[in-house]
Amino acid sequence: SSELTQDPPVSVALGQTVRITCQGDTLRSYYASWYQQKPGQAPLLVIYLKNNRPSGIPDRFSGSSSGNTASLTITGAQAEDEADYYCSSRDSSGTHYVFGTGTTVTVL
Amino acid sequence: QITLTESGPTLVKPTQTLTLTCTFSGFSLTLNSNGVAVGWIRQPPGKALEWLALIYWDDDKLYRPSLKSRLTVTKDTSKNQVVLSMTNVDPVDTATYYCAHREASLDAFDVWGQGTMVTVSS
């Protein structure tokens, strides 16, 4: 399957740590990237190639992967981290892209 | 600084062809831009992102398999534009359509346009 399945909505207390996951068979072969999307805004790349942050992304964002699961961890969540998060990777062909189902993160 | 801007109609009737233009700056899609690509991604209201198509610097093209028969992506390097056409639209194609820059070394969409909302309705 080329589907990427993400967690249901999650909440995290301000300053605490939250980890969200992305599952899919293709993650055994291809790295995941992660995107943050706030209401009414375009997605923003926060992690690429499993655990690399683009310039300007705070180091509280980190990525990891094991088997068919990729994870995004926010260590010390801030109010501004409240958003929808999408994982993405290649599909089983290795050429096309696929996005995950998305996870809404609420910071309490 | 890389920027991308989508443009096109906000309302399209069912069965018509939707044509969207992505005008970009800060990079090129020419033969000496090894690895660079521009992708199209859409998002129906309240739903997840959906990858649609990708066009590479060398004019190679990829399409979402389930929509391949309805999609065409082209580039005009002289105008720094990428055009996405979708034939025979249906109300389920109502979505915000984004174009995005894909850097080969990142294998991810690192810069996105602001998106353009398209409604398919009679």
Side-chain angles (χ1 to χ4, degrees):
Chain A
S1 170
S2 296
E3 296 178 346
L4 296 178
T5 302
Q6 296 186 233
D7 300 326
V10 299
S11 60
V12 57
L14 185 67
Q16 295 303 300
T17 296
V18 62
R19 187 180 75 168
I20 58 178
T21 65
C22 171
Q23 288 190 306
D25 291 341
T26 61
L27 296 177
R28 298 182 185 278
S29 304
Y30 303 105
Y31 289 127
S33 54
W34 289 89
Y35 300 85
Q36 175 193 71
Q37 187 180 34
K38 297 180 181 179
Q41 296 185 18
L44 173 71
L45 179 67
V46 295
I47 293 290
Y48 64 93
L49 294 177
K50 189 173 76 173
N51 191 22
N52 294 274
R53 283 175 288 105
S55 174
I57 301 301
D59 61 5
R60 62 180 179 271
F61 290 91
S62 63
S64 62
S65 183
S66 177
N68 72 336
T69 301
S71 301
L72 174 70
T73 300
I74 308 174
T75 303
Q78 301 299 303
E80 60 265 31
D81 300 334
E82 186 163 290
D84 292 331
Y85 290 85
Y86 293 93
C87 61
S88 179
S89 186
R90 300 284 189 154
D91 73 354
S92 56
S93 73
T95 55
H96 302 86
Y97 286 90
V98 60
F99 284 90
T101 52
T103 296
T104 299
V105 174
T106 300
V107 180
L108 303 174
Chain B
Q1 179 191 7
I2 292 174
T3 65
L4 304 100
T5 303
E6 305 88 351
S7 60
T10 58
L11 180 64
V12 183
K13 296 185 187 308
T15 75
Q16 289 185 337
T17 295
L18 169 65
T19 300
L20 296 172
T21 300
C22 174
T23 303
F24 58 85
S25 64
F27 69 98
S28 63
L29 267 179
T30 57
L31 289 177
N32 59 355
S33 305
N34 195 21
V36 174
V38 171
W40 285 94
I41 301 101
R42 72 179 179 182
Q43 185 173 37
K47 296 188 177 182
L49 300 170
E50 186 176 74
W51 175 78
L52 298 177
L54 193 72
I55 185 165
Y56 288 89
W57 83 103
D58 62 356
D59 210 35
D60 193 13
K61 301 161 189 176
L62 294 172
Y63 298 102
R64 185 181 184 84
S66 61
L67 295 174
K68 186 176 181 179
S69 63
R70 298 175 53 210
L71 295 175
T72 302
V73 63
T74 60
K75 61 182 174 76
D76 185 333
T77 54
S78 66
K79 294 182 180 179
N80 277 357
Q81 291 181 333
V82 170
V83 175
L84 178 74
S85 295
M86 176 183 289
T87 60
N88 193 27
V89 296
D90 181 270
V92 300
D93 297 313
T94 294
T96 297
Y97 287 76
Y98 297 98
C99 62
H101 173 269
R102 194 219 69 157
E103 178 61 48
S105 61
L106 277 60
D107 196 23
F109 298 101
D110 59 335
V111 184
W112 294 60
Q114 84 283 2
T116 185
M117 177 65 193
V118 178
T119 300
V120 179
S121 175
S122 56

